[in-house]
Amino acid sequence: MSKGSLDAPAKPIQAHAHEVRSEDVVPLQVLSPEGEIVNPERLPDLTDDQLKEIMYRMVFTRTWDDRAVNLGRQGRLGFYAPVSGQEATMVGSEYALEKTDFICPGYRDMPQLVWHGLPLYQAFLYSRGHQHGGQIPEGVNVLMPQIIIGAQILHATGIAMGFKLKNEKRVVIAYTGDGGSSEGDFYEGLNFAGVYKLPAIYFVQNNRYAITTPYSKQTAAQSIAHKALAAGIRGVQVDGMDVLAVISAVKEAAEIARNGGGATLIEGLTYRFRPHSMSDDATKYRTKEEEAEWALKDPIVRFGKYLEAKGLWSEEDTARVKEEAKAAVAEHIKKAEQTEKMTVAGLIDSMFEQTPPDLERQKADFQ
Amino acid sequence: MAQMTMIEAIKDAMRVELKRDPNVVIFGEDVGHVGGVFRATEGLQAEFGEHRVFDTPLAESAIGGLAVGLGIQGFRPIAEIQFVGFIFEALDQMFVQAARMRYRSGGRYNAPIVFRTPFGGGVKAAELHTDSLEGLAIQTPGIKVVVPSNPYDAKGLLISAIRDNDPVFFMEHLNLYRAFREEVPEGEYTVPIGKAKVVREGKDVTIIAYGLMVHTALKAAAELEKNGVQAEVIDLRTLSPLDIDTIVESIKKTNRAIVVQEAQKSAGAAAEIIAQINENAILHLEAPVLRCAGPDTVYPFVQIEDVWLPTPARIVKTVNQVLEF
């Protein structure tokens, strides 16, 4: 018996008029890799101060990521999923929202939570496996990072339905990666949002790899944005290394959602400069050439060039933000380390509003 | 007071709560316009509107996720999973996301959800409609498991479940939906979650049961009575948290017990109950606590479900084993 190949080239397909076909999508881009505006119609309406704030957050996030990787190696942080390379999708998409909008993150999406209001030391506590990391402050509209890939897509759908039932002009955004788009929950969430016309944005950060598995082993679809067609919602692809394109796409999707126009799936084409997690070795599945090619698309370099040309940013600014970020990380890791240790009795009490009698008795073993 | 079947009592509980609390919403497959495959929600959409009672696409995981998201937004969702065998599609949302929400967020968020699901054998249903999956639920921290056996309890327990600020898996036995009528008070009343009930007093042996098996146990107790054996029957009503105190009180009197469950034998509710009896009442026992349960097979093809499920005769046999020990 001959062994079949999973990579066998597809037989040529003859097109028929009744077949559903789709065209290639071209990702939305506002800034060229040289930092020039290539799509002035889609340039978001932002003041100079806002532009500087976005750059501040991106540089801060990159520095925080560098420091977090080091803190992880020193054993001062636990579970950590690096974010370098994805600052445009993360910072940009959050910046395009209102503070009243709600974020349902995946496990890599800590920057969006922090820029939406979660104190940095709580992000560190989450990494270190401390319950206070998940105690989101009142008024900060986010969920804790979701480990079960796809589950957050459904939570976003439910929260969006809540906004719709209460007649609130709020929007939910849920994040997942390219691998996450293969989950059943991903499709189910989009499909429900389509049926009920919910104010939701599903943002797929397509960084081309799900741990070691490349996009081509994840789906034969031309793009993840195409998957919106199956749910009858809007699908948009955006250059995820271009923060202005990300902001433009998310602002547009949010406005449509707020005005009753339903949900949008946004695919941001991006790249993580670091491995999947602290226990992953990317050299086993990625080439140096590929990494070098994507390094040229660095979202901070690109946006920096644009701001420098406008006289809004300089190397000194970058250096200053880096120092500020390092100082903030140092302060917040210290605060995390000084947070009171948890107790088993405390965990037992956090299971239910009222601890059942047997569980109450179990506490005695730990007091 | 009105004479109601269990399904009517369940509907009445939801009606009372829809009226009382504007945050209560009901959804699931076919629960809206038609009122559910068993008519548990019949007429509720017409009375309260499509924004309170609505149909969903056919996707159990998303039904669970919708409930979790709505719960975070202050709603009190009653999510129906059409048949118990389909909870596997929704397990992550029920047993991970909802059950852990309060703990993961240190109390910032909670999941005030009722997952209603019909289950239970003896009705010649298709595959995966009747399995007893409560064992999966009771070993899941963070979700309560309630199994009523009669119309009065069903209404009072469901109202309690809807008002509970933590998730409740509410299992409704198919064979009890329309089995009999009894007096059920109009309006609101609650039956506390976590409290068992002695439904027949006796001094010789304790039979611990829940769901349909309460009625099977009562039939067995009537048989035993003919031989002069006074069996005490406990209806657990809630499997998690377990009311071990009521069980221990009974065993102090009878010194012998069996547990009856419709589920297959291993690692189910009975195993947990017996473990807790051993921990709390070993010195009051004259004999080991035995289980009367289905064998450790997949739920049977319906042609033989009546002999697969525990019968009064098998319960009598098990009681005799502990009496003759």
Side-chain angles (χ1 to χ4, degrees):
Chain A
M1 223 162 65
S2 70
K3 263 191 185 168
S5 168
L6 286 173
D7 296 321
K11 284 180 190 159
I13 297 167
Q14 204 170 351
H16 294 286
H18 55 270
E19 284 180 5
V20 176
R21 305 187 68 81
S22 54
E23 306 304 319
D24 284 340
V25 284
V26 178
L28 173 69
Q29 197 180 63
V30 175
L31 277 180
S32 71
E34 292 71 40
E36 282 157 6
I37 300 292
V38 291
N39 192 348
E41 281 175 24
R42 294 301 300 259
L43 185 63
D45 186 18
L46 296 163
T47 65
D48 286 354
D49 281 347
Q50 288 175 317
L51 290 168
K52 285 196 278 189
E53 173 66 18
I54 293 160
M55 185 63 178
Y56 174 91
R57 292 183 181 192
M58 287 169 72
V59 174
F60 190 109
T61 302
R62 175 73 54 90
T63 309
W64 154 24
D65 191 60
D66 290 342
R67 293 295 304 133
V69 168
N70 279 327
L71 289 166
R73 290 192 183 120
Q74 294 165 26
R76 296 173 73 189
L77 281 182
F79 171 75
Y80 183 73
V83 302
S84 283
Q86 299 188 201
E87 291 87 351
T89 52
M90 291 175 164
V91 170
S93 58
E94 191 284 328
Y95 196 79
L97 301 172
E98 305 292 333
K99 286 293 172 217
T100 48
D101 294 334
F102 206 104
I103 296 178
C104 296
Y107 51 75
R108 198 180 299 280
D109 302 306
M110 204 52 108
Q112 295 95 303
L113 304 191
V114 168
W115 294 118
H116 216 57
L118 180 73
L120 189 55
Y121 85 97
Q122 285 189 267
F124 292 155
L125 282 173
Y126 178 82
S127 171
R128 291 165 63 87
H130 191 296
Q131 190 175 35
H132 183 47
Q135 283 177 318
I136 310 296
E138 287 285 339
V140 177
N141 294 299
V142 305
L143 274 179
M144 304 74 74
Q146 180 56 247
I147 294 296
I148 301 300
I149 295 172
Q152 73 275 25
I153 299 285
L154 298 179
H155 300 162
T157 304
I159 290 166
M161 179 165 255
F163 291 162
K164 182 164 180 166
L165 288 175
K166 288 191 280 187
N167 241 332
E168 294 178 342
K169 284 212 160 192
R170 297 165 72 186
V171 173
V172 187
I173 192 166
Y175 295 89
T176 191
D178 36 318
S181 72
S182 300
E183 292 278 1
D185 283 351
F186 177 80
Y187 170 68
E188 289 188 20
L190 269 57
N191 187 53
F192 271 51
V195 168
Y196 299 120
K197 227 170 188 193
L198 299 180
I201 301 170
Y202 303 99
F203 197 117
V204 174
Q205 296 179 82
N206 176 2
N207 64 22
R208 305 165 63 88
Y209 291 92
I211 310 191
T212 71
T213 305
Y215 179 86
S216 62
K217 301 279 186 211
Q218 208 62 250
T219 176
Q222 290 172 48
S223 79
I224 287 168
H226 274 98
K227 296 191 176 195
L229 291 171
I233 64 172
R234 291 178 73 236
V236 170
Q237 196 185 56
V238 59
D239 181 342
M241 305 300 259
D242 173 358
V243 73
L244 294 180
V246 170
I247 291 172
S248 175
V250 175
K251 271 190 183 294
E252 182 188 38
E255 197 183 313
I256 289 168
R258 263 185 248 288
N259 292 305
T264 301
L265 168 63
I266 300 176
E267 176 187 19
L269 301 173
T270 183
Y271 202 75
R272 54 175 157 80
F273 292 158
R274 287 204 160 89
H276 161 75
S277 71
M278 300 295 289
S279 47
D280 169 42
D281 177 5
T283 61
K284 288 193 175 144
Y285 55 90
R286 294 199 310 211
T287 63
K288 285 239 175 313
E289 291 73 28
E290 183 185 285
E291 289 181 356
E293 185 194 321
W294 278 90
L296 294 176
K297 299 178 184 170
D298 189 324
I300 295 179
V301 173
R302 184 189 301 197
F303 191 51
K305 283 179 186 169
Y306 171 66
L307 294 190
E308 280 172 34
K310 285 173 75 86
L312 295 175
W313 200 262
S314 66
E315 277 181 31
E316 291 74 46
D317 290 317
T318 299
R320 174 182 51 84
V321 178
K322 278 186 179 173
E323 287 315 307
E324 279 182 38
K326 281 184 197 166
V329 168
E331 179 198 328
H332 284 271
I333 191 73
K334 204 168 156 191
K335 190 167 178 189
E337 286 169 341
Q338 286 169 350
T339 301
E340 200 178 341
K341 267 189 88 172
M342 289 180 299
T343 64
V344 176
L347 287 186
I348 286 173
D349 283 338
S350 71
M351 285 299 303
F352 296 98
E353 185 176 47
Q354 277 187 319
T355 305
D358 187 52
L359 198 47
E360 194 66 52
R361 286 191 280 265
Q362 291 175 39
K363 259 162 62 178
D365 291 341
F366 299 94
Q367 279 167 334
Chain B
M1 296 279 260
Q3 289 279 325
M4 288 189 197
T5 60
M6 192 168 92
I7 193 110
E8 287 165 352
I10 285 167
K11 178 166 76 180
D12 197 41
M14 290 191 276
R15 196 168 165 270
V16 164
E17 290 303 283
L18 279 166
K19 232 177 186 169
R20 192 187 66 87
D21 183 347
N23 291 314
V24 173
V25 286
I26 298 174
F27 51 88
E29 294 155 12
D30 312 298
V31 305
H33 178 61
V34 163
V37 291
F38 294 103
R39 306 295 177 259
T41 51
E42 194 170 41
L44 296 181
Q45 188 183 69
E47 186 175 352
F48 295 96
E50 274 187 59
H51 61 297
R52 303 288 304 283
V53 183
F54 54 90
D55 291 317
T56 65
L58 200 167
E60 288 77 15
S61 187
I63 290 169
L66 203 64
V68 173
L70 284 166
I72 286 163
Q73 278 305 305
F75 289 88
R76 306 190 80 83
I78 304 172
E80 181 180 305
I81 305 293
Q82 201 160 60
F83 287 99
V84 71
F86 316 160
I87 68 165
F88 291 107
E89 314 301 317
L91 277 194
D92 176 56
Q93 293 297 334
M94 293 172 68
F95 291 2
V96 178
Q97 307 299 336
R100 292 176 184 226
M101 185 60 74
R102 182 183 293 279
Y103 178 90
R104 289 188 66 228
S105 67
R108 171 68 176 85
Y109 298 115
N110 63 314
I113 303 164
V114 181
F115 294 102
R116 283 186 50 241
T117 307
F119 83 107
V123 292
K124 301 274 186 279
E127 269 190 291
L128 280 161
H129 283 52
T130 50
D131 297 51
S132 290
L133 301 178
E134 63 276 10
L136 299 174
I138 61 174
Q139 70 129 308
T140 301
I143 189 162
K144 297 174 182 177
V145 184
V146 174
V147 190
S149 71
N150 58 72
Y152 177 89
D153 283 352
K155 180 175 172 183
L157 284 166
L158 184 51
I159 290 176
S160 292
I162 295 165
R163 294 180 186 182
D164 201 294
N165 284 325
D166 290 302
V168 178
F169 184 31
F170 196 85
M171 301 179 70
E172 303 166 5
H173 202 291
L174 284 161
N175 217 342
L176 293 173
Y177 267 160
R178 296 184 172 87
F180 59 95
R181 289 177 182 276
E182 69 178 14
E183 290 287 319
V184 174
E186 309 275 357
E188 57 176 289
Y189 68 90
T190 57
V191 170
I193 290 175
K195 289 269 178 270
K197 189 180 176 192
V198 176
V199 292
R200 184 189 202 279
E201 303 236 357
K203 59 177 178 44
D204 299 323
V205 63
T206 301
I207 306 177
I208 301 154
Y210 55 96
L212 179 69
M213 289 301 115
V214 172
H215 302 278
T216 312
L218 287 169
K219 283 178 194 159
E223 288 297 313
L224 288 162
E225 173 106 60
K226 290 177 191 164
N227 299 324
V229 175
Q230 301 289 328
E232 178 146 305
V233 179
I234 295 177
D235 179 356
L236 289 172
R237 303 197 289 192
T238 300
L239 296 181
S240 179
L242 189 68
D243 180 4
I244 189 65
D245 296 345
T246 296
I247 295 169
V248 169
E249 279 314 302
S250 177
I251 288 173
K252 279 182 183 169
K253 185 169 64 172
T254 62
N255 309 116
R256 288 179 168 83
I258 71 161
V259 187
V260 187
Q261 69 177 22
E262 192 173 318
Q264 69 282 1
K265 187 176 180 185
S266 295
E272 174 58 26
I273 293 160
I274 293 168
Q276 292 212 30
I277 291 170
N278 284 336
E279 287 165 4
N280 292 287
I282 192 86
L283 294 177
H284 298 284
L285 288 175
E286 295 288 343
V289 183
L290 297 185
R291 283 176 279 191
C292 185
D296 283 324
T297 68
V298 170
Y299 190 84
F301 291 101
V302 294
Q303 292 280 318
I304 57 162
E305 70 177 342
D306 289 343
V307 289
W308 187 94
L309 293 165
T311 56
R314 275 181 59 208
I315 294 173
V316 167
K317 194 177 157 195
T318 311
V319 166
N320 285 334
Q321 281 178 290
V322 300
L323 290 174
E324 291 155 15
F325 180 78

